[in-house]
Amino acid sequence: MGKIIAIANQKGGVGKTTTSINLSAALAGLGLKVLLIDADPQANATSGLGVENKDMASTVYECLVDDYPVRSATVATGVEGLSLLGSRIDLVGAELELVEKKGRERVMSNAISDVRDDYDYIIIDCSPSLGLITVNALTAADSVIIPVQAEYFALEGISKLLNTIRIIKGKLNAGLRIEGFLLTMYDARLRLANEIFEELKGHFGDMVFNTVIPRNIRISEAPSHGLPVTVYDPTCRGATSHIQLAREIIARNARG
């Protein structure tokens, strides 16, 4: 049975989509079967893997709103072992359309259940909000990765997300846990970046990944080529850090 990991933080620009694309590709590169679900109407995870509208007959929108089977909506990517359930801008309307739906918080969980055994990992890229689609993702997930940017306001808003996670644990998904806090856009030359890493460690201890994702131009360039950085430039620091993160996650889960 595949493990479902949501990547969430309602703060924008912290590297959620970058992490989703490159972690998914890194896990696939290590020989695992991975499904990436683009649950963000901006659809950047979809375009970042080189998948265009014409490549998708259906998307996550149809799966949530019309009960379209996920297995029929997934498409292959240029990365062996990595499939995508893509997104389009029409996902914006799904929030309103789901409001009237019975069991609206569990629609994604029900949709994914049919394909869960097909994959080792299912990664959900959440939008920068705590709306109904993100609640669906957290209700479906076994765990959540919280990317945190190495900047002055890094911890701002985390308490709100943690409160949302507590509510979902209490009412919708008792098994949800934090997979880890991931420091992104890290520049080891800056004292502030190191202080934030230490502050995160002080607050959350072993829940903080040892792996940090550095500021790296190749990570920024890769999406414009429709490629994860692990394919675009496999030897750059951006690629090797995501592979290290994938190995750390695999090791954590092997320990139970």
Side-chain angles (χ1 to χ4, degrees), residues 58-80:
S58 300
T59 66
V60 67
Y61 172 86
E62 285 81 10
C63 296
L64 296 178
V65 173
D66 301 327
D67 301 321
Y68 192 81
V70 169
R71 190 174 281 112
S72 302
T74 56
V75 295
T77 70
V79 180
E80 186 176 351

Side-chain angles (χ1 to χ4, degrees), residues 41-247:
Q42 296 176 80
N44 289 332
T46 302
S47 61
L49 282 171
V51 176
E52 299 179 16
N53 270 335
K54 62 182 175 57
D55 302 324
M56 304 180 293
S58 300
T59 66
V60 67
Y61 172 86
E62 285 81 10
C63 296
L64 296 178
V65 173
D66 301 327
D67 301 321
Y68 192 81
V70 169
R71 190 174 281 112
S72 302
T74 56
V75 295
T77 70
V79 180
E80 186 176 351
L82 175 58
S83 299
L84 172 74
L85 177 57
S87 180
R88 280 194 277 257
I89 189 63
D90 57 4
L91 187 61
V92 167
E95 297 260 345
L96 291 173
E97 295 183 63
L98 287 177
V99 165
E100 301 298 323
K101 200 156 184 168
K102 187 176 179 183
R104 62 191 181 187
E105 298 91 354
R106 301 185 187 277
V107 174
M108 188 179 292
S109 181
N110 294 335
I112 296 173
S113 63
D114 287 345
V115 300
R116 187 164 184 164
D117 290 342
D118 297 351
Y119 300 97
D120 298 300
Y121 284 92
I122 297 174
I123 307 294
I124 308 174
D125 180 30
C126 296
S127 66
S129 77
L130 294 178
L132 188 52
I133 303 294
T134 299
V135 168
N136 260 269
L138 294 173
T139 302
D142 299 306
S143 64
V144 55
I145 290 174
I146 303 172
V148 179
Q149 188 177 350
E151 60 160 29
Y152 183 69
F153 295 113
L155 301 183
E156 188 180 79
I158 285 183
S159 60
K160 191 174 180 183
L161 176 60
L162 293 179
N163 190 50
T164 300
I165 291 170
R166 271 193 296 272
I167 291 167
I168 289 172
K169 275 177 70 84
K171 296 186 174 179
L172 295 165
N173 182 4
L176 180 65
R177 68 180 187 84
I178 294 173
E179 186 77 25
F181 292 85
L182 175 67
L183 197 63
T184 61
M185 305 178 208
Y186 178 80
D187 186 341
R189 297 168 301 176
L190 300 179
R191 190 176 71 179
L192 177 62
N194 293 297
E195 286 174 355
I196 289 166
F197 185 65
E198 292 306 317
E199 190 174 354
L200 266 180
K201 278 282 192 185
H203 272 86
F204 302 111
D206 291 342
M207 285 194 288
V208 180
F209 287 110
N210 293 319
T211 304
V212 297
I213 306 300
R215 283 196 179 277
N216 180 255
I217 191 65
R218 307 305 258 175
I219 292 178
S220 303
E221 291 172 350
S224 65
H225 296 270
L227 294 170
V229 71
T230 54
V231 175
Y232 178 64
D233 187 348
T235 61
C236 74
R237 287 193 313 129
T240 55
S241 64
H242 282 98
I243 293 166
Q244 186 180 334
L245 174 64
R247 292 188 188 280

Side-chain angles (χ1 to χ4, degrees), residues 177 251-256:
R177 68 180 187 84
R252 283 187 177 205
N253 286 287
R255 293 197 300 267

